[in-house]
Every structure is written in structure tokens, then in C-alpha cells.
Amino acid sequence: MDFKRIQTIIDKEWAEVFKNRLVLFTIVLLPLIFTALPLGLLYSTRGAAASGGDVTDLPPQFLQACGTIPAGDCFQIYLLNQFMALFMMMPLIIPITIAAYSIVGEKTTRSLEPLLATPITTEELLAGKSLAAAIPAVLATWGCFVIFMLAAPLVGARPNVVSGLFFNPVWLLAVFAAGPLMALIAVNLAIIVSARVNDPRAAEQISAVVIVPLLAIVFAQIAGLIVLNLQFMLTALVVLAVLAALLIAAGARLFQREIILTKWK
Amino acid sequence: MIQTEGLTKQFPGGRAGTAITAVEALTLDVKEGEVFGFLGPNGAGKTTTVRMLTSLIGPSSGHATVNGFTVGRDDDHIRASVGILTETPGMYDRLSAEKNLSIFANLYGVKDVPGQVEKYLRLLGLWERRGDEVGSFSKGMRQKLAIARALLHEPKVLFLDEPTSGLDPEAAKLVRDFVAELKTEGRTIFLCTHNLDEADRLCERIGIFKTRLITVDSPANLRRRLYGRKVVFHMKRLDPAWAEAIRALPFVKEAEAVDAKLVVGLDAPEDENPVILRRLVELGAEVQFVGELRHSLEDVYLQLVNRPA
């Protein structure tokens, strides 16, 4: 692996993406909305937290986990916990636009052949493309999480809520470990699709569909079907790491230069 | 510098599961420093051949070496040591000319990236537009930029696939002149083209190809082989008896009267023209001009390509 070549691909991808204001806008908009939503909710429930609110509808195992925390704070923690899903969705959704276009875009502009004619290896090319899509998504997710942490006390989060959420290892693992792995998985799936279709629109549509199984975990948590506790998160991290490794290997195997060059019209 | 032996490429997709042969048993030997023209109709397999020789795709059978490296075994070395101008320039339109070249210079592992980029942007007259997005460039400028990209790592072997295709005459001339300059630098150039005039001017030898290699020779030899050498004697007036008299000379292969011109087939016009000229003057002819009849490469090409296999 020649890291200079990988860095060159990342540099090239970013130079192209950041020149396209529309793509940049779609990348930035989503994290902003996903950060504003929980902050808005926090602001609107600040009264409930203060008065104690009604917590009888919360799942019993969650109430048990709240322990001695006042019921109002527990209610606020429960609501915000649902938004952990948003921070897990961000690294899945943000990079799709860049990744899905990465190979098929080069096909449409006919720049793939000169690129493949250089000494770059398939692994270097795919690593560059994956990282170029995954890094902004991960950084945006982390950035939004930090903004959320800093802004939460300002919009009504009580000290119990702040410590209960942000210094919770499940949240930290979800954002700082599962997030990058999920980004890698989404990006590699999108790149595999991108290498095998001939139309950028098809690449984006199919890529959006292939991340549905990953979104299922997120929605199962929102629906209360699973509780994202530490044990679940550690197991999920192992599964995600294995899945990411398998997809990276599959991406290199499925990227067949000859077929890509000769089948593309 | 480029050697192939029985190089064949087949693609799946023929009727009843058969393979489609794009290139069949190509055997070639392109010498170091030679400009070799590879001529053939659309779909003849020229681009497939270039792709095999630049290690973009693998051959189905046969053997090829480029710059001393074996296709299929030393692909990374081949890609690092050859330059390729693909059929379409394929530049990154949103990026500047300078950025486009820098990306490729880095991928080729060029040591002095800014220096090489500047050198070729200046050489091709694009330095003043280095900061402009390539999307704003004309077709000719894009083609020049693509040539610069192919040269950044100073390859000894250069593959040019239709370098003047779709260019206006002025841009085509600029590109042709640049290729002629490269020729003087001793690089080996493999030129795929439809432009027969271009091949005639630039190439020492040409290979005429239609899935199989039909023939390889210099343009002059090809003409000679197909048409022989013919000299035209332009006269004020032509008496049919003079044609008979010239035909009677032992070295004359044929002599035909066309209007006031006498077209004579010869093996060595340099030695035989003075004899014919003397005879015509003796016969009372007033010769105005003498010139060799030159068949176009197009005539040669069409005759060879359309000949039944």
C-alpha cells in the first residue's frame, strides 16, 4: 500500500466534492437537522423535567435503570436516548452521496480509464475512495455530537441528564466507535454498488436501499424492541468490525478492472 | 520496445455462449524510438490492443512485452513506465488544469510534481490557464492537457489513441506538431488513428489491422507494394504512338496515355526517367513537367482493409 497514492485520491475526491455546492449542502444539512432536533426536544421538555412529568409510560427496564434519578430527569434521558439513533444514522447516510458517485461518476466522465492506467492498485484506489467518503461523515457526526453536548445544558438539560447521557459509555461507544465502523460499512457497500452499475442515479438509489438492514437496528431501538446497553453495544462493535473487514475485502474482489472498463458504454 | 506474439483477446457475449474475438493472434515488433501507426476501422480492436499493452486488461492468450516488462506479470511496472492518451480525455472538469495534472503526477510517483506540471503546461501552451476549471476548456485544450498528463512521468513508451479525433483542423495540427516533437525526443510512440494523413506524416511504419494484423510496413513501401511506382509526364500534346514507343522500352512495366499525360510504371524512376525523357524529346514531344504519381495512404488502407480475408 502506497499511502501517498491513497492520500492523493482522498485529496482529489474532496477537491471535487467541495467544488460542488449542492453536494456539500446535502452533506452539511442533514447533520445540522439531526443536531437541532434533539436540542429542540430538550428545550420543549425542560418543563416536564422540572415538574417531574409523567413517566408511567416508560419501559420498566428503563425506569429500573434510572435508579434514584428524579422521574422528570429520567423522562428527559429516555427521550434523548432515542436520539442516539440519529447520531448513529449520520455516518450511514452522510457518506452515501459521495461514495455512491465515486466509481460510477468516474465512469460517466470517462476519467476512470486514465486513473486505472496509473500504477495505483485496486486496494489503494478503494481505500482512498472509502476514506474520502467516510472521514467527513465521521467528523460531521463527532462535530454534531460535541455541539449537542455543549448546547444541551443551555436549552434545559439538567445536570443529571447531561451526566446520564454524555458520560454514558454506550453513547460514547455508539458515536466514537460504532459511528466510524458504520460509515465504513455504508461507504463500502455504496462503492461496491457504484462499481457495478452504469448510472449515478441507480448507484445512489441502490446504495440507499442496501443500508436499510443497518437502519433496522436503529429503528428497533427507537421502537423499544432492543435496548442499547453496554453489552449490546460491545457485541455490535465486534459484528460491525467483522462486517466492515468483510466488505472491504469483498469490495477489492468485486472491483474487476476489465469488466468495469469493457462493459461500460 | 513493444513485442507481441500471438496476442489474442476474446470477450464473452457471442451467440450461443461463444466468445467474441476482438484481437486475434497479433504479432508485432515496435522498435525503440519508432512512431508506429496502428490503423483500422471502428471496432477493429485497436483500443482493446492498447488496453492490453498498457495492462488495463489482460490478454486471453499470447504474449506481450512492453519496455522489457511482461504483460500479465509486470503490470504495475508497465503502468508506471508507459504513458497513455485514452480515446476520450477523461479529465476532472471541476478541477483546474494544474490540479488535474498534480493528481496524476502524484499517482505516477513523480518526484518534482510542481516542476513537471509547470513544464508540460508551458510546453503545451496551457500555463496561462492553469488555474481555470478544465470544464471551461475547449476540446483541443482538453486534448493537450490529456497529452500532458500522459507525459508527466516521462514515459519511454507512449500510447496515443486517436489523439486528433474530433478536433478542429487548427487544434489537430497543434496536437500533431507536438507528437512530431515527441518523435525527436526518441520516445516510442504507438499511435492509433483513423487519420491516414496523420499516420502518413508521423509514422515510420504502420500496421493495418482488422481484428487480425493485415500488414505492417512503411507508408512508402505499402504504396509501392500495392501500386508500384508511377511517373507522370505532362506534355503539350500526346501522340498515341509515343505511348507505344515508351512501352517498348525494356524497363517500362506499363505506359498509359491519359489526356495529354503519359503515366509510366517503373521500378527505378531515378535512373529510368532521363531515358524516357530523351526518347520523348526524340519523338518530338514537348514535356512540360515530370512528377511521381503518389497514391494516398487512404487508397492503400481501403484496398487492404476491404480485401477479403
Side-chain angles (χ1 to χ4, degrees):
Chain A
M1 280 262 192
D2 183 330
F3 290 98
K4 199 179 170 198
R5 287 194 203 126
I6 296 173
Q7 196 189 327
T8 302
I9 295 295
I10 295 173
D11 182 34
K12 190 247 352 152
E13 294 285 310
W14 286 355
E16 280 199 298
V17 168
F18 296 136
K19 281 256 177 181
N20 190 334
R21 284 185 190 159
L22 194 63
V23 175
L24 196 61
F25 177 71
T26 58
I27 291 169
V28 171
L29 183 69
L30 188 78
L32 289 179
I33 292 173
F34 279 15
T35 312
L37 269 175
L39 287 173
L41 187 83
L42 202 56
Y43 183 73
S44 65
T45 59
R46 69 194 189 284
S51 65
D54 186 3
V55 294
T56 51
D57 289 339
L58 297 187
Q61 70 262 50
F62 191 86
L63 281 173
Q64 207 176 358
C66 273
T68 55
I69 298 173
D73 291 1
C74 187
F75 176 68
Q76 210 176 38
I77 289 174
Y78 175 75
L79 279 178
L80 287 178
N81 224 16
Q82 306 309 308
F83 284 93
M84 188 202 294
L86 293 183
F87 288 98
M88 289 173 79
M89 278 164 70
M90 270 192 235
L92 280 180
I93 297 170
I94 299 168
I96 288 294
T97 314
I98 304 174
Y101 190 72
S102 63
I103 303 292
V104 74
E106 300 254 16
K107 288 183 193 172
T108 51
T109 56
R110 308 267 171 185
S111 53
L112 190 61
E113 189 167 356
L115 188 62
L116 294 180
T118 68
I120 194 164
T121 63
T122 301
E123 289 76 11
E124 287 161 357
L125 177 67
L126 295 183
K129 296 261 181 196
S130 302
L131 291 172
I135 290 171
V138 170
L139 291 181
T141 306
W142 290 354
C144 288
F145 184 66
V146 171
I147 292 170
F148 180 51
M149 278 173 69
L150 296 174
L154 305 177
V155 291
R158 295 169 66 82
N160 273 335
V161 176
V162 173
S163 61
L165 279 175
F166 304 137
F167 301 106
N168 178 338
V170 179
W171 264 80
L172 296 176
L173 284 174
V175 174
F176 292 103
L181 287 172
M182 286 176 109
L184 273 181
I185 290 168
V187 159
N188 278 284
L189 278 170
I191 287 176
I192 289 170
V193 172
S194 187
R196 299 187 84 79
V197 298
N198 287 339
D199 189 315
R201 290 163 296 187
E204 235 172 276
Q205 290 300 319
I206 299 171
S207 302
V209 171
V210 294
I211 63 162
V212 166
L214 294 165
L215 288 178
I217 299 172
V218 169
F219 287 115
Q221 190 250 347
I222 293 173
L225 298 173
I226 53 171
V227 176
L228 293 185
N229 55 26
L230 189 59
Q231 191 189 355
F232 180 92
M233 189 51 72
L234 290 172
T235 313
L237 282 176
V238 173
V239 173
L240 289 173
V242 171
L243 197 58
L246 286 175
L247 278 170
I248 289 167
R253 274 183 78 86
L254 292 170
F255 188 90
Q256 291 173 341
R257 290 170 177 242
E258 182 162 332
I259 291 173
I260 288 171
L261 283 178
T262 54
K263 288 273 172 76
W264 171 254
K265 297 286 176 219
Chain B
M1 203 51 141
I2 303 170
Q3 274 123 15
T4 69
E5 205 181 316
L7 195 68
T8 300
K9 182 67 191 179
Q10 293 180 316
F11 292 108
R15 281 185 192 165
T18 56
I20 297 166
T21 303
V23 177
E24 189 179 351
L26 175 66
T27 299
L28 264 185
D29 186 3
V30 180
K31 305 271 182 295
E32 189 171 351
E34 181 179 5
V35 179
F36 185 84
F38 202 52
L39 271 59
N42 286 333
K46 301 188 300 292
T47 299
T48 302
T49 304
V50 168
R51 284 176 171 172
M52 281 194 282
L53 295 176
T54 51
S55 286
L56 277 164
I57 62 173
S60 305
S61 62
H63 182 261
T65 60
V66 179
N67 203 16
F69 300 114
T70 302
V71 170
R73 194 189 67 195
D74 310 317
D75 292 336
D76 289 348
H77 292 291
I78 290 178
R79 285 198 286 266
S81 69
V82 305
I84 179 171
L85 172 73
T86 49
E87 212 172 346
T88 43
M91 310 301 301
Y92 300 114
D93 283 358
R94 288 182 182 278
L95 308 184
S96 69
E98 197 171 19
K99 182 76 181 169
N100 264 279
L101 293 192
S102 299
I103 289 165
F104 281 87
N106 278 313
L107 291 176
Y108 277 112
V110 169
K111 291 218 165 60
D112 176 17
V113 172
Q116 280 297 93
V117 169
E118 183 176 345
K119 175 185 166 183
Y120 281 103
L121 282 174
R122 284 191 186 281
L123 262 177
L124 285 150
L126 295 170
W127 180 246
E128 301 305 319
R129 300 284 306 270
R130 64 188 179 281
D132 294 354
E133 282 188 8
V134 174
S136 69
F137 280 17
S138 69
K139 239 179 173 179
M141 290 165 76
R142 293 162 71 87
Q143 193 73 340
K144 285 199 285 181
L145 193 62
I147 292 174
R149 179 180 61 193
L151 290 164
L152 284 168
H153 55 302
E154 305 292 357
K156 285 185 182 166
V157 186
L158 197 58
F159 290 87
L160 305 176
D161 196 354
E162 305 288 354
T164 56
S165 168
L167 300 186
D168 63 46
E170 199 183 347
K173 188 181 178 309
L174 276 171
V175 170
R176 242 187 331 266
D177 290 348
F178 189 71
V179 175
E181 258 181 67
L182 293 175
K183 189 176 163 179
T184 63
E185 292 174 8
R187 295 182 207 260
T188 307
I189 300 173
F190 191 91
L191 176 71
C192 285
T193 183
H194 278 127
N195 188 326
L196 301 169
D197 179 52
E198 182 173 285
D200 206 4
R201 282 196 229 177
L202 294 171
C203 303
E204 278 122 31
R205 287 191 305 152
I206 57 170
I208 296 181
F209 181 79
K210 192 175 169 187
T211 308
R212 294 180 70 95
L213 188 64
I214 298 168
T215 190
V216 179
D217 216 328
S218 67
N221 280 346
L222 281 175
R223 286 193 185 91
R224 216 165 288 162
R225 271 168 46 194
L226 281 179
Y227 298 104
R229 296 183 75 184
K230 288 182 178 166
V231 177
V232 187
F233 295 85
H234 296 255
M235 285 164 279
K236 244 184 172 175
R237 180 183 68 81
L238 175 63
D239 186 330
W242 299 347
E244 278 303 316
I246 297 301
R247 211 171 283 132
L249 292 171
F251 54 81
V252 171
K253 297 167 86 174
E254 56 176 315
E256 192 187 351
V258 182
D259 301 329
K261 296 185 289 268
L262 185 65
V263 182
V264 184
L266 299 167
D267 282 329
E270 294 80 5
D271 301 328
E272 295 154 355
N273 276 351
V275 181
I276 295 173
L277 209 50
R278 261 199 307 274
R279 184 77 183 108
L280 284 171
V281 171
E282 282 167 12
L283 290 166
E286 288 178 84
V287 180
Q288 294 171 310
F289 317 102
V290 181
E292 186 162 2
L293 182 68
R294 194 177 147 92
H295 278 276
S296 68
L297 190 58
E298 188 176 61
D299 296 333
V300 175
Y301 170 83
L302 289 173
Q303 191 169 336
L304 287 169
V305 163
N306 295 325
R307 197 184 263 180

